């Protein structure tokens, strides 16, 4: 059980709540904080003093006073006018993650929203009532205005829900669940759509995927090195202890584990080769640097998912600070860093694929014993090269850009929503690159038999061979590649 507004969220806990493995609840303590903060908003809403977003307009209209009688319409209009997202809908898991993170932030007791609104969002989470949210339209400050507007239109019967793979009007779903549309009150529209939950959801989903892909990168690299009959000496502990970056140390340790009791490694210990190309011997430095970026994004995302990111922040009956907690720059920059880090995993994997094709050190050219008539594995490396370049093109940092909005009131924005989307696009391409490298590595290992490998590499070799046979003569490889991509996506490979 997870207590909203009290307990500490993590990536795993968010995903456990989303999958139903963990139940998110409100306790009396959190409920009291929410109600106390709401009472403060009620006082300000009826005050003669102008308080941004509570009894004034929004953005450049912050100098326009709104009467108490018009407050509810103001909040509803806010969501309606800001729901201008375009493009394909985000996947359902992202919508659910956004709901979970928003509930946790609102339950901290600084947003001034009514308890019944939070409880309705929890009902959506628990009953898989997932709003349809377009993927484009957020500039990442005042938070993710457009996607969050689409996320919460269904509260009052506007917008759409998913029903399986179909999209249905929200009003029909509310009726089917015997739910009355909620009429938003003072501050509530602003509390709902100010925040970084779209950026954060992409970070959470990407972090979970990247965690596995970092481990898989080491496995694929180890299998390629075994097929290449490279040296294990660059992974010695002492070497890395004198340059102790956290990621490098971790990868070197994992490589030693992946080569444990390898008969193949021992078989060429006394060969005349002095060193391997960088993509083999610098695995700890390159994979490790990517891990360091992952650690950094993990740290910042965990801070963000336990923060209050709407605006204004309600501190007392007379003080609601219009600050910038909604600004997505802290996550945007880290997401761009992580995107470069993820892209590099694919870059070095493509280089290892190329090395295995060269026909050196006992391997046949193009990994086929009957080259000429057969092209062997020549062409899949074209695919990895294309994916690598696509990833490089996706590494332009949106956080380095800013286009002023709201008549210049919002004159510096993070573009973090684009950073989050591109991060996940890059990770999707990495899955495909690793699938091809694993196919190459397994083929190369075939030519090292009867030598044996570590237990974990032998198990992964068997997983590959359960879907993809050794290439003896040319065949259509699309189905083989897609089968391995599916294994990567479902995290079927053993990485620890």
């Amino acid at each position: 059980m997870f207590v909203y507004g009290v307990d500490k969220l993590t990536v795993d806990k968010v995903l456990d709540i989303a999958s139903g493995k963990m139940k998110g609840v409100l306790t009396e303590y959190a409920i009291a904080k929410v109600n106390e903060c709401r009472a403060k908003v009620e006082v300000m809403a009826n005050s003669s003093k102008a308080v941004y977003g509570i009894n004034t307009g929004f953005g450049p209209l912050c100098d326009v006073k709104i009467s108490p009688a018009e407050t509810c319409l103001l909040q509803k209009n806010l969501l309606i006018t800001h729901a201008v997202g375009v493009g394909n809908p985000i996947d359902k898991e992202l919508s659910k993650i956004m709901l979970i993170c928003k509930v946790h932030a609102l339950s901290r007791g600084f947003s001034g929203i009514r308890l019944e609104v939070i409880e309705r969002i929890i009902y959506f989470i628990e009953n898989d009532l997932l709003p349809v949210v377009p993927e484009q339209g957020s500039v990442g400050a005042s938070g993710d205005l457009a996607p969050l507007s689409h996320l919460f239109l269904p509260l009052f019967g506007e917008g759409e829900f998913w029903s399986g793979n179909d999209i249905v009007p929200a009003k029909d779903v509310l009726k089917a669940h015997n739910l009355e549309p909620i009429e938003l009150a003072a501050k509530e529209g602003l509390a709902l759509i100010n925040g970084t939950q779209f950026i954060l959801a992409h970070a959470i989903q990407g972090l979970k995927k990247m965690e596995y892909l970092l481990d898989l990168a080491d496995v694929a690299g180890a299998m390629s090195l075994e097929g290449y009959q490279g040296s294990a000496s660059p992974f010695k502990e002492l070497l890395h202890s004198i340059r102790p970056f956290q990621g490098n140390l971790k990868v070197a340790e994992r490589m030693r584990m992946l080569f444990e009791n390898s008969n193949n490694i021992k078989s060429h210990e006394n060969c005349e080769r002095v060193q391997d190309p960088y993509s083999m011997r610098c695995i700890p430095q390159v994979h490790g640097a990517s891990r360091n970026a992952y650690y950094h994004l993990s740290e910042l995302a965990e801070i963000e998912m336990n923060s209050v990111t709407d605006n204004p922040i309600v501190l007392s009956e007379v003080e609601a600070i219009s600050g910038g907690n909604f600004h997505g720059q802290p996550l945007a920059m880290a997401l761009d860093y992580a995107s470069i880090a993820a892209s590099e995993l694919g870059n070095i994997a493509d280089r290892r694929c190329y090395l295995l094709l060269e026909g050196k050190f006992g391997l046949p050219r193009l990994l086929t014993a009957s080259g000429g008539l057969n092209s062997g594995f020549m062409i899949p490396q074209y695919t990895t090269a294309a994916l690598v370049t696509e990833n490089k093109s996706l590494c332009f940092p949106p956080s380095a850009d800013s286009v002023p909005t709201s008549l210049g009131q919002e004159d510096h924005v993070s573009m973090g929503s684009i950073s989050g989307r591109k991060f996940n696009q890059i990770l999707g391409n990495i899955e495909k690159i690793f699938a091809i490298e694993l196919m190459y590595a397994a083929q190369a290992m075939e030519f090292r038999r009867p030598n044996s490998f570590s237990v974990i590499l032998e198990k992964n070799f068997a997983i590959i061979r359960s879907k993809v046979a050794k290439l003896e003569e040319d065949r259509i490889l699309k189905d083989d590649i897609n089968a391995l991509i599916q294994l990567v996506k479902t995290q079927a490979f053993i990485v620890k």
Side-chain angles (χ1 to χ4, degrees):
M1 190 172 290
F2 178 84
V3 181
Y4 288 119
V6 178
D7 290 344
K8 185 176 181 180
L9 268 184
T10 63
V11 168
D12 287 337
K13 286 179 182 177
V14 172
L15 295 174
D16 282 348
I17 296 170
S19 67
K21 294 178 183 176
M22 180 178 284
K23 184 178 176 64
V25 299
L26 289 171
T27 60
E28 290 303 318
Y29 175 79
I31 290 171
K33 290 200 70 175
V34 168
N35 288 336
E36 287 169 14
C37 190
R38 181 62 207 172
K40 296 170 186 175
V41 169
E42 297 286 357
V43 171
M44 285 184 277
N46 292 288
S47 168
S48 59
K49 180 183 176 183
V51 183
Y52 174 72
I54 295 178
N55 57 14
T56 74
F58 309 110
L61 302 175
C62 60
D63 56 353
V64 179
K65 192 81 184 295
I66 305 298
S67 70
E70 297 172 314
T71 296
C72 293
L73 181 59
L74 173 71
Q75 299 300 317
K76 180 179 179 180
N77 283 347
L78 179 66
L79 269 69
I80 289 173
T81 57
H82 285 61
V84 293
V86 296
N88 296 323
I90 61 175
D91 68 54
K92 299 169 195 172
E93 182 183 60
L94 284 170
S95 292
K96 200 167 190 180
I97 292 171
M98 289 174 69
L99 292 172
I100 293 164
C101 291
K102 178 58 85 171
V103 166
H104 187 51
L106 295 175
S107 300
R108 293 284 305 279
F110 293 95
S111 301
I113 199 163
R114 287 173 298 162
L115 178 62
E116 67 179 279
V117 180
I118 297 176
E119 289 176 334
R120 177 63 60 85
I121 302 170
I122 292 173
Y123 183 92
F124 287 175
I125 294 167
E126 292 181 344
N127 291 275
D128 279 327
L129 300 186
L130 305 178
V132 177
V133 178
E135 65 182 355
Q136 295 170 302
S138 171
V139 297
S142 307
D144 296 307
L145 295 173
L148 284 168
S149 295
H150 287 279
L151 190 74
F152 293 119
L153 282 176
L155 286 172
F156 51 84
E158 298 292 341
E160 300 157 322
F161 281 113
W162 288 103
S163 178
N165 293 321
D166 297 325
I167 293 174
V168 297
K171 60 183 179 181
D172 294 345
V173 175
L174 294 184
K175 186 175 180 180
H177 283 256
N178 295 315
L179 298 173
E180 290 293 325
I182 287 179
E183 185 176 3
L184 298 180
K187 175 65 168 67
E188 291 184 328
L190 207 56
L192 290 168
I193 73 169
N194 266 212
T196 59
Q197 282 76 31
F198 183 88
I199 301 171
L200 179 57
H202 282 80
I204 289 169
Q205 190 179 67
L207 280 166
K208 191 61 181 175
K209 191 179 295 183
M210 190 175 182
E211 179 183 27
Y212 178 77
L213 291 176
L214 283 164
D215 286 342
L216 187 61
D218 300 338
V219 170
M223 292 181 73
S224 289
L225 189 140
E226 285 279 28
Y228 192 69
Q229 284 199 331
S231 173
S233 61
F235 313 114
K236 288 186 177 179
E237 184 175 5
L238 178 58
L239 178 67
H240 295 279
S241 69
I242 57 176
R243 196 192 188 204
F245 290 109
Q246 184 183 1
N248 303 34
L249 291 170
K250 180 68 173 179
V251 174
E253 178 188 4
R254 283 181 49 74
M255 296 304 285
R256 294 193 298 272
M257 177 270 293
L258 292 166
F259 295 134
E260 192 173 354
N261 298 321
S262 168
N263 170 262
N264 187 58
I265 290 285
K266 291 178 181 175
S267 72
H268 59 91
E269 278 182 335
N270 299 314
C271 69
E272 295 180 357
R273 287 160 61 188
V274 176
Q275 58 180 226
D276 296 320
Y278 289 0
S279 60
M280 295 290 183
R281 64 179 158 116
C282 296
I283 286 174
Q285 289 79 11
V286 178
H287 291 191
S290 294
R291 279 186 182 268
N292 291 334
Y294 163 81
Y295 295 145
H296 183 56
L297 179 59
S298 295
E299 178 187 359
L300 298 189
E302 192 162 303
I303 291 171
E304 190 78 335
M305 69 184 80
N306 292 287
S307 298
V308 181
T309 59
D310 65 281
N311 186 68
I313 303 298
V314 180
L315 299 180
S316 70
E317 291 87 350
V318 295
E319 187 176 22
I321 295 179
S322 185
N325 278 14
F326 50 67
H327 204 293
Q329 196 79 352
L331 282 189
M333 292 180 71
L335 281 163
D336 289 339
Y337 174 27
S339 293
I340 295 169
S343 180
E344 277 301 286
L345 293 175
N347 204 345
I348 195 171
D350 167 73
R351 293 299 79 214
R352 291 193 294 261
C353 290
Y354 187 89
L355 289 176
L356 294 177
L357 297 177
E358 288 186 314
K360 293 182 177 179
F361 315 122
L363 291 177
R365 280 195 305 172
L366 305 177
L367 291 174
T368 177
S370 52
L373 177 63
N374 292 286
S375 296
F377 282 108
M378 180 196 301
I379 303 303
Q381 191 264 327
Y382 287 42
T383 302
T384 62
L387 291 167
V388 163
T389 291
E390 184 173 317
N391 278 350
K392 290 174 185 175
S393 74
L394 290 169
C395 281
F396 171 82
S399 64
D401 190 23
S402 178
V403 179
T405 57
S406 194
L407 302 183
Q409 182 75 7
E410 296 161 11
D411 58 347
H412 183 280
V413 298
S414 76
M415 299 298 182
S417 67
I418 305 168
S419 301
R421 288 172 48 229
K422 285 172 45 163
F423 176 47
N424 282 276
Q425 284 179 265
I426 289 169
L427 291 170
N429 287 336
I430 295 298
E431 292 174 335
K432 298 165 188 172
I433 294 170
F434 285 162
I436 292 173
E437 182 183 8
L438 288 163
M439 181 175 68
Y440 275 30
Q443 182 80 357
M445 290 165 70
E446 294 276 12
F447 292 103
R448 304 306 183 185
R449 297 299 189 189
N451 290 348
S452 60
F453 309 94
S454 68
V455 172
I456 188 169
L457 293 193
E458 290 284 6
K459 287 181 178 178
N460 283 301
F461 178 88
I463 291 171
I464 294 169
R465 285 289 172 260
S466 72
K467 298 291 184 181
V468 175
K470 178 183 178 182
L471 187 69
E472 302 284 4
E473 296 179 345
D474 282 355
R475 63 173 184 260
I476 296 175
L477 292 173
K478 180 179 74 72
D479 291 342
D480 294 348
I481 294 170
N482 285 335
L484 293 178
I485 291 172
Q486 191 60 26
L487 289 176
V488 174
K489 285 183 175 293
T490 57
Q491 303 189 356
F493 289 102
I494 301 165
V495 295
K496 294 180 181 178

